[in-house]
Amino acid sequence: MIAKISSGKDTAGLIRYLFDTKKAKDHTDPHLVASWDGFAPDPGRTDDFTATKRLLVADLDLRVKQARRLGRAPERHVWHCSLRAATTDRHLSDEEWADIARRVVAATGLAPQDDPDGCRWVAVRHAPDHIHIAATKVRSDLSTARHWNDYLTADRELAAIEEEYGLFQVARGDRTAAKRPTRAEQEKAHRQGQDKPARERLRTIVRTAVAAATSTDEFIGLLSHTDGVLVEVVYFPSGDVRGYKVASEDTTTAGRQPIWFSGSELAPDLSFPKIRARLEATDPQPANRTGSHRPNPWHQATTAAERIPHHLTGHDDRASQAHLAAFGEALDTLPLLAPAPLRAQLREAASAFERATRSRVQAEHHHARALRSAARAMLREPAPEDGTALAMLLDAAILVTVAATRWHQLRHHDQQVTAAQQALLHLQAAYDEAAGAPLTALVQHRPPQQAVNRYLHHIRRAVPEHAEQVLSDPAVDALTAALAEAEALGHDPERLLKQAVDQRALNDARSPARTLIWRTKRLSARPASSARAAQDLSAVQAERTPQPSTPAHEASAVSPPRPPQVRRR
């Protein structure tokens, strides 16, 4: 159940609207279901509508007029709240709506229960699925009602009502969501043929600029050079940047000024101070290196993303929030880098996950330097044309989104959970399309059956918990081809598989075989000497481990049950 609350100056105008059946076609059978004393005149149940409406307005305004004579009446003395049930909810009776109205005015402080001096109010039902509460804010003792945070108090009461009445339970927010476009903004976008209002389009543009920039100067520069966007920078008297405002050129009409939005009006985390804090926590881009030692930013981003689920299982919520924010920035960059057929899904994924990047938890952005730096480096080095790097990153992104959903669920961040679930659907669709060509190419290089059997044996030994799931996966042929490629480069297939599993469990993977493919290919991209060094170190450690039941001269031939992990730089 959703509440919308507003204030006004005209009691008569509000009552006229609530009982109107001519202009408002969805107003059917308007009538009172409850009032402050249970005896208010009901214009919807009388033959003389005009006279009864006048009596109702006079009764509601009585205390307002008395307070006005004493100079106490508030200027905006009308309180208006609409309560709407979900489309899937059953139709509530008048008695049930009356009970809900009484609970809401009591919770908001307008008419507390058992308070004889509460404000005057009425609840009008003019459609099956919603009611309107009209109240005046002056109490019987001529003081103004204290109804601060009325939206939050009403929302908390509605959450209890939904549970008690068995209604659809709305995903409630924590006041960190971006402001929704107004109805006027939506209608204007429709008239102009735009798919989204200017506020939402500008929010996406600003988020993309933040994700691409490495400094505040670069951020302002990127915005200024974006087609169709007007930018105004606000300065302190000292000359330092105080903030910024943006406007869409299509909001400027003949003879009118553009409609400006500050960063905080677009989203809570897009204010200039918060953007500066995020950019200051970004590592500077290293000088370009050439040759085999040049790091691959796509692999770096994938590695950093694969570590996020582990961070989300820790006890540092501020670090976890930072990783989610950095992951959101990485998603913002992908539509700029992906092939055209994938961009729509990736834009929708980034737009949906945007809500999951914010909560009441304050992020400590320095924890997510690696992913943020890698995402910016990706913009300067497009993904290889074979699509492997993009599929690899999307596979990791799916696991991150699953982990983010679980993290928000444990903290009862309802809106963020919904947003992450929506993003997951778009990421899965994008991944399925991105992974098709690379997997097909791998299958075409499937090794001979004798080698396949050997790789299947390695899989059973290296991934015992998921062996049957991996071996029955349609992508297992591509996995054996990836292992063959890695072995040709000098890597030990079984050791590579164990390293891939050690990085992150496969419990959340839709296709463990596919996940192992991308991890194997990324690990095998490293020099084979690193694998040999790891093997040498494992052998040395095995020799130093006491083996009571094994003769000393045979110790080197005994393989430990699990190779020790080697810390990688």
Side-chain angles (χ1 to χ4, degrees):
M1 190 170 289
I2 298 175
K4 291 185 178 180
I5 298 175
S6 60
S7 296
K9 304 178 181 179
D10 186 4
T11 307
L14 176 58
I15 296 300
R16 186 185 310 113
Y17 163 74
L18 296 180
F19 285 92
D20 174 55
T21 57
K22 295 180 180 179
K23 294 182 180 179
K25 301 301 182 183
D26 60 336
H27 292 189
T28 58
D29 188 26
H31 60 281
L32 295 185
V33 294
S35 65
W36 73 95
D37 62 357
F39 299 102
D42 185 354
R45 293 291 186 266
T46 182
D47 294 333
D48 193 343
F49 172 79
T50 303
T52 308
K53 186 200 72 173
R54 190 180 299 117
L55 285 174
L56 178 59
V57 172
D59 286 350
L60 287 170
D61 276 344
L62 177 63
R63 304 307 182 192
V64 177
K65 291 180 179 179
Q66 292 173 343
R68 189 171 291 150
R69 297 191 191 103
L70 302 176
R72 297 182 185 177
E75 181 181 4
R76 303 181 67 84
H77 64 272
V78 179
W79 188 85
H80 176 209
C81 173
S82 66
L83 302 174
R84 184 178 297 273
T87 55
T88 56
D89 287 337
R90 61 183 175 85
H91 284 175
L92 302 174
S93 66
D94 282 359
E95 292 73 19
E96 289 173 318
W97 277 121
D99 175 60
I100 292 171
R102 293 188 191 98
R103 292 175 63 169
V104 169
V105 294
T108 55
L110 289 168
Q113 190 175 8
D114 300 326
D115 182 358
D117 292 328
C119 298
R120 296 191 167 196
W121 60 273
V122 293
V124 180
R125 182 179 190 179
H126 57 207
D129 63 346
H130 70 279
I131 63 170
H132 292 258
I133 302 174
T136 48
K137 299 179 183 179
V138 179
R139 293 164 46 84
S140 294
D141 58 9
L142 303 187
S143 64
T144 302
R146 298 187 176 185
H147 59 95
W148 296 300
N149 289 328
D150 50 8
Y151 176 80
L152 291 180
T153 54
D155 200 48
R156 282 197 291 265
E157 187 65 25
L158 290 177
I161 289 170
E162 289 168 354
E163 185 173 358
E164 292 176 23
Y165 278 80
L167 305 177
F168 175 77
Q169 296 187 3
V170 175
R172 290 184 154 78
D174 52 8
R175 306 190 78 179
T176 61
K179 186 177 179 180
R180 295 180 180 179
T182 65
R183 182 174 179 178
E185 292 173 348
Q186 292 174 338
E187 291 177 350
K188 185 173 184 178
H190 180 71
R191 290 194 304 269
Q192 294 176 338
Q194 299 286 351
D195 58 341
K196 292 182 179 180
R199 184 193 299 270
E200 292 187 352
R201 286 183 280 121
L202 290 170
R203 183 186 304 137
T204 300
I205 291 171
V206 172
R207 285 183 60 84
T208 304
V210 173
T214 57
S215 66
T216 54
D217 289 340
E218 186 177 4
F219 164 69
I220 296 297
L222 289 173
L223 281 183
S224 301
H225 290 87
T226 302
D227 293 338
V229 177
L230 304 176
V231 182
E232 181 177 314
V233 182
V234 182
Y235 296 92
F236 285 111
S238 62
D240 296 329
V241 176
R242 177 181 180 181
Y244 70 98
K245 295 188 292 185
V246 291
S248 178
E249 288 184 348
D250 57 34
T251 63
T252 306
T253 57
R256 295 185 181 181
Q257 295 296 318
I259 300 175
W260 294 96
F261 297 93
S262 65
S264 58
E265 288 177 321
L266 297 177
D269 59 341
L270 293 183
S271 66
F272 189 76
K274 291 187 177 181
I275 289 175
R276 180 170 53 202
R278 289 156 68 182
L279 294 178
E280 288 176 351
T282 303
D283 289 331
Q285 295 299 313
N288 290 334
R289 288 184 285 178
T290 58
S292 59
H293 297 292
R294 183 179 182 182
N296 185 321
W298 288 81
H299 289 182
Q300 290 179 316
T302 303
T303 301
E306 285 186 329
R307 287 197 289 261
I308 292 179
H310 172 71
H311 293 305
L312 296 183
T313 59
H315 301 288
D316 190 342
D317 280 3
R318 292 189 172 190
S320 298
Q321 185 64 63
H323 285 289
L324 292 179
F327 177 67
E329 291 180 21
L331 291 184
D332 289 330
T333 65
L334 287 183
L336 303 177
L337 302 168
L342 300 178
R343 290 173 190 166
Q345 289 287 3
L346 292 175
R347 276 194 293 266
E348 292 297 329
S351 178
F353 196 82
E354 179 260 349
R355 180 66 189 97
T357 61
R358 289 189 304 275
S359 70
R360 283 291 179 186
V361 179
Q362 185 177 358
E364 292 182 347
H365 292 291
H366 65 275
H367 288 285
R369 290 177 181 270
L371 178 57
R372 187 171 283 111
S373 178
R376 283 156 176 77
M378 284 161 50
L379 292 168
R380 294 158 178 81
E381 184 171 326
E385 294 183 358
D386 64 359
T388 300
L390 178 58
M392 190 183 303
L393 181 55
L394 290 178
D395 180 71
I398 289 172
L399 298 182
V400 174
T401 309
V402 172
T405 303
R406 188 177 297 116
W407 188 83
H408 283 303
Q409 283 175 332
L410 293 174
R411 287 151 186 81
H412 305 289
H413 299 162
D414 295 340
Q415 289 187 354
Q416 289 88 335
V417 169
T418 301
Q421 291 172 338
Q422 292 173 346
L424 179 61
L425 296 176
H426 294 293
L427 285 173
Q428 288 174 339
Y431 168 78
D432 289 340
E433 187 166 353
L439 290 175
T440 301
L442 271 175
V443 171
Q444 291 175 350
H445 295 85
R446 183 175 180 270
Q449 188 60 44
Q450 184 177 0
V452 168
N453 294 336
R454 182 163 51 85
Y455 294 135
L456 296 181
H457 177 69
H458 289 320
I459 292 172
R460 289 190 179 92
R461 287 171 55 89
V463 198
E465 295 181 1
H466 300 274
E468 295 306 318
Q469 191 176 358
V470 172
L471 296 179
S472 62
D473 194 311
V476 68
D477 287 343
L479 176 58
T480 59
L483 293 173
E485 289 183 357
E487 190 171 35
L489 293 172
H491 295 275
D492 181 338
E494 187 170 329
R495 182 176 297 277
L496 212 58
L497 284 168
K498 289 180 179 180
Q499 289 177 349
V501 176
D502 289 342
Q503 285 183 344
R504 181 63 186 167
L506 301 174
N507 297 331
D508 293 332
R510 284 194 304 163
S511 168
R514 289 189 180 190
T515 297
L516 288 174
I517 289 170
W518 309 128
R519 292 180 183 177
T520 298
K521 289 186 70 65
R522 181 165 50 79
L523 290 170
S524 64
R526 301 173 182 176
S529 57
S530 299
R532 294 195 182 97
Q535 189 173 4
D536 293 343
L537 178 59
S538 178
V540 170
Q541 292 177 338
E543 289 175 357
R544 293 178 179 177
T545 302
Q547 301 285 343
S549 60
T550 306
H553 67 280
E554 295 178 4
S556 60
V558 178
S559 298
R562 184 181 183 90
Q565 295 185 16
V566 179
R567 175 168 291 179
R568 297 180 293 275
R569 295 185 179 271

